[in-house]
Amino acid sequence: MTGVKIGWQGGVVVFTKEAKVLFDPTSGRPTGRNTHVFITHAHADHTYGFRSSAKKYATPETIAIYKRLDRRRLDDLVTVKLNQAIKVGNINVTPINAGHMLGSTQFLVETPEKKVLYTGDINCVDTLTTEAAQVDECDELITEATYGDPFYIFPSRHRIYARIVEWAAAQAKKGRSPVFQVYAAGKAQEIVKLFNIYTTLPVVTNSFVSKVNDAHTEFGVKLNYEDASREGKIPRRPHIFVTTYRDDSASSEESARAVATGWALKMPSRGLASFPLSSHADFRQLVHYARATKAKRIYIYTGYVDVFANYLGKKLGVAARPLPALAQTELGDF
């Protein structure tokens, strides 16, 4: 029996006889004795681990964004730094840049037997607010496949930026304020930065986006914007309004709405302008990344799991498969 087990059990798990590490758990339920929880980034579907009673690890940027969006008290929390290893029993866990959003990390897990790299969500190109994901060699790779289908190949980021600015300028000339409905953390700040750099249009953000903007400013990402909740501070139209998907308050005859997401490649218009700007790696990036790690075994855990596993197996000649689910009895083996 191997001394290392890898799989899914309410999150991505790597464990040995001496240590158990759990990445991005999907709930805050108890995780068992001596479990160490690692959180890759501050998007809501990845932050359930902050509610766990276990010892928790995250970057200061991830913690700062989470605290601004959720007032829960955080206990037993350890701040991690990129490229500095944390020792958990006989395992070393090293955070490395994921390029997905401010503070996002992958985790390189070094056990006595092998190196395992867990990507979390990754983006493999530079953006206006992040640097491309770091690549480290490993024996086994656990990777996302959100866009792990050959259909999803995005245009160059600069081309997308140009299209967004051109559309917004055309709307502004008509006296309409462009409204971007995007994720409050990550995508919103990239849109704010885009208009700060390439236009003189003032930018307004809703209160949720403004909180995350403040966290970016704290860590050196300068953003110029006005908070929509501050009376008397909103510039005259036209201006750029950056808000969340669920906020319909800006819909009016004086506005023009847009979304920015990788799903725009297949998204029906429905009266919206849509731009394929994603914080995830596209299919081509994912394949290049997997090849660069030189992993001999690859586990895929989300998105186009079977499609991507089959492609990697044929093209790279590696053992690629969906991440297996682990039963509670398997943990008992140790």
Side-chain angles (χ1 to χ4, degrees):
M1 180 185 70
T2 179
V4 181
K5 280 192 176 289
I6 298 170
W8 177 269
Q9 191 181 68
V12 175
V13 179
V14 179
F15 66 99
T16 68
K17 290 183 178 180
E18 295 183 23
K20 177 184 175 184
V21 290
L22 174 63
F23 301 103
D24 291 337
T26 53
S27 77
R29 291 194 294 269
T31 54
R33 291 189 307 165
N34 302 320
T35 299
H36 295 252
V37 170
F38 289 80
I39 299 158
T40 56
H41 64 283
H43 282 149
D45 56 335
H46 288 259
T47 58
Y48 291 104
F50 281 124
R51 306 176 191 178
S52 168
S53 59
K55 183 171 284 190
K56 298 166 282 291
Y57 303 78
T59 61
E61 295 91 340
T62 294
I63 295 167
I65 294 171
Y66 180 78
K67 283 183 175 179
R68 281 168 168 80
L69 297 176
D70 194 309
R71 297 282 183 184
R72 285 184 178 85
R73 178 178 173 178
L74 296 178
D75 296 314
D76 214 0
L77 186 62
V78 178
T79 300
V80 303
K81 294 183 179 180
L82 294 182
N83 302 307
Q84 293 189 14
I86 303 101
K87 189 169 182 59
V88 179
N90 62 346
I91 294 175
N92 283 330
V93 182
T94 304
I96 63 176
N97 175 46
H100 180 61
M101 65 175 292
L102 181 71
S104 63
T105 57
Q106 308 168 71
F107 289 103
L108 181 64
V109 184
E110 298 178 83
T111 76
E113 293 184 11
K114 55 191 168 186
K115 285 185 179 181
V116 180
L117 178 56
Y118 166 64
T119 66
D121 292 339
I122 55 171
N123 177 38
C124 300
V125 296
D126 291 340
T127 79
L128 297 176
T129 55
T130 60
E131 294 182 356
Q134 180 178 333
V135 183
D136 272 28
E137 294 183 6
C138 61
D139 301 303
E140 299 187 4
L141 173 66
I142 309 170
T143 184
E144 64 141 318
T146 302
Y147 294 112
D149 183 291
F151 176 84
Y152 288 101
I153 296 177
F154 304 136
S156 75
R157 214 164 191 88
H158 290 291
R159 186 180 301 174
I160 300 170
Y161 288 156
R163 286 172 52 191
I164 291 173
V165 170
E166 287 169 2
W167 174 83
Q171 301 306 315
K173 286 180 181 178
K174 298 175 185 177
R176 306 174 74 189
S177 284
V179 177
F180 288 86
Q181 293 181 277
V182 293
Y183 292 123
K187 189 71 63 62
Q189 290 68 44
E190 187 176 5
I191 295 293
V192 173
K193 191 69 172 178
L194 173 64
F195 285 102
N196 288 170
I197 293 174
Y198 293 108
T199 78
T200 58
L201 288 167
V203 180
V204 178
T205 60
N206 83 346
S207 60
F208 288 102
V209 174
S210 297
K211 290 175 182 178
V212 184
N213 291 349
D214 291 343
H216 279 66
T217 300
E218 178 185 342
F219 289 95
V221 181
K222 182 175 174 56
L223 300 171
N224 296 318
Y225 66 97
E226 294 292 348
D227 186 341
S229 65
R230 297 172 189 162
E231 293 185 12
K233 289 287 187 178
I234 306 306
R236 294 181 180 178
R237 292 175 182 270
H239 58 256
I240 305 297
F241 185 46
V242 183
T243 187
T244 55
Y245 284 109
R246 296 180 181 179
D247 182 8
D248 294 322
S249 64
S251 298
S252 72
E253 293 181 358
E254 297 179 336
S255 64
R257 292 191 300 150
V259 294
T261 170
W263 304 118
L265 289 182
K266 279 190 176 180
M267 183 179 291
S269 64
R270 297 179 183 174
L272 291 173
S274 57
F275 303 97
L277 186 69
S278 179
S279 57
H280 288 264
D282 69 1
F283 178 78
R284 188 161 44 197
Q285 292 175 43
L286 287 170
V287 172
H288 176 78
Y289 178 94
R291 181 183 289 114
T293 67
K294 299 183 180 180
K296 299 297 187 293
R297 183 183 298 274
I298 300 177
Y299 298 103
I300 298 100
Y301 67 93
T302 189
Y304 289 91
V305 173
D306 292 327
V307 172
F308 195 52
N310 289 337
Y311 184 92
L312 292 180
K314 291 177 181 178
K315 295 296 181 179
L316 301 188
V318 298
R321 58 174 290 198
L323 183 68
L326 294 178
Q328 188 65 38
T329 53
E330 291 184 80
L331 297 181
D333 289 345
F334 289 104

